[in-house]
């Protein structure tokens, strides 16, 4: 069962997939109905999930499920991963490259290779206050309240 993204409960579980490039308007217009259809049909052991999906900042695909109603099973999570992989193939994009970190700088999403992070911190290009899109956020409330968040308030804190 589809739930509009802005009507999700705070504790709804989220999965965030970061694209390796921004999605253009035409791609977003094509993807959004696919997201809604996936969320509508997403189920766990034959029970429909109370799910939603959204594109954020032209780059992040967020899938969500109200776990209080029905928890996502391993099989349903596998279905979501397969759906994202299908989007990758259809749009020639990668949502599974975890070697790129996304920061909000001057209103734009900037990707930084993980291998360059330490040098960027030392050079002052990235500070503890630089806003970071932490894809490890696990619930809708946290996504709404603190995303992006200062890098120091994420797993990146060890670099400062």
């Amino acid at each position: 069962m589809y739930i509009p993204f802005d009507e999700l409960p705070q504790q709804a579980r989220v999965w965030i997939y970061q694209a390796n490039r921004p999605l253009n308007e035409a791609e977003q217009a094509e993807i959004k109905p696919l997201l809604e259809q996936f969320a509508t049909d997403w189920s766990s052991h034959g029970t429909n999930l109370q799910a939603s999906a959204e594109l954020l900042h032209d780059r992040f695909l967020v899938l969500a499920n109200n776990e209080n109603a029905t928890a996502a099973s391993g099989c349903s999570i596998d279905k979501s991963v397969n759906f994202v992989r299908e989007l990758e193939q259809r749009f020639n994009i990668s949502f599974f490259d975890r070697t790129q970190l996304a920061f909000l700088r001057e209103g734009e999403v900037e990707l930084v290779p993980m291998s360059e992070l330490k040098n960027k911190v030392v050079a002052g290009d990235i500070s503890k206050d630089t806003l970071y899109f932490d894809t490890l956020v696990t619930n809708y409330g946290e996504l709404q309240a603190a995303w992006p968040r200062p890098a120091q308030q994420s797993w990146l804190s060890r670099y400062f």
Side-chain angles (χ1 to χ4, degrees):
M1 176 177 82
Y2 176 78
I3 298 173
F5 195 73
D6 60 354
E7 294 178 18
L8 285 164
Q10 297 294 303
Q11 74 281 0
R13 183 172 176 191
V14 298
W15 293 265
I16 302 170
Y17 298 92
Q18 175 181 301
N20 64 330
R21 63 169 175 79
L23 293 157
N24 64 42
E25 287 183 25
E27 290 171 323
Q28 290 185 49
E30 194 174 340
I31 289 173
K32 285 182 181 184
L34 298 173
L35 295 177
E36 186 170 336
Q37 188 61 53
F38 175 78
T40 300
D41 296 341
W42 198 13
S43 64
S44 176
H45 300 291
T47 302
N48 282 344
L49 300 177
Q50 289 184 6
S52 192
E54 189 68 66
L55 291 173
L56 300 174
H57 300 278
D58 301 332
R59 192 179 294 262
F60 302 96
L61 167 61
V62 182
L63 301 177
N65 177 49
N66 179 3
E67 297 272 300
N68 286 347
T70 305
S73 65
C75 291
S76 62
I77 293 170
D78 288 347
K79 287 178 195 174
S80 69
V81 169
N82 289 336
F83 169 70
V84 175
R85 291 209 184 277
E86 289 171 13
L87 292 177
E88 282 186 317
Q89 290 179 352
R90 184 169 177 174
F91 294 95
N92 194 27
I93 194 165
S94 174
F95 285 107
F96 291 97
D97 181 358
R98 301 291 186 212
T99 65
Q100 301 285 320
L101 304 173
F103 295 89
L104 184 63
R105 296 175 46 98
E106 299 179 14
E108 298 290 325
V109 176
E110 178 185 324
L111 293 185
V112 173
M114 195 174 294
S115 61
E116 293 180 22
L117 179 62
K118 192 172 185 180
N119 291 337
K120 293 255 186 200
V121 169
V122 169
D125 294 334
I126 296 174
S127 74
K128 62 184 174 113
D129 297 318
T130 303
L131 295 178
Y132 170 61
F133 290 98
D134 188 354
T135 58
L136 300 178
V137 166
T138 60
N139 67 63
Y140 180 74
E142 189 177 2
L143 182 75
Q144 292 302 106
W147 200 77
R149 68 171 111 208
Q152 183 175 333
Q153 295 175 15
S154 73
W155 67 271
L156 297 176
S157 63
R158 66 183 178 201
Y159 290 94
F160 306 105

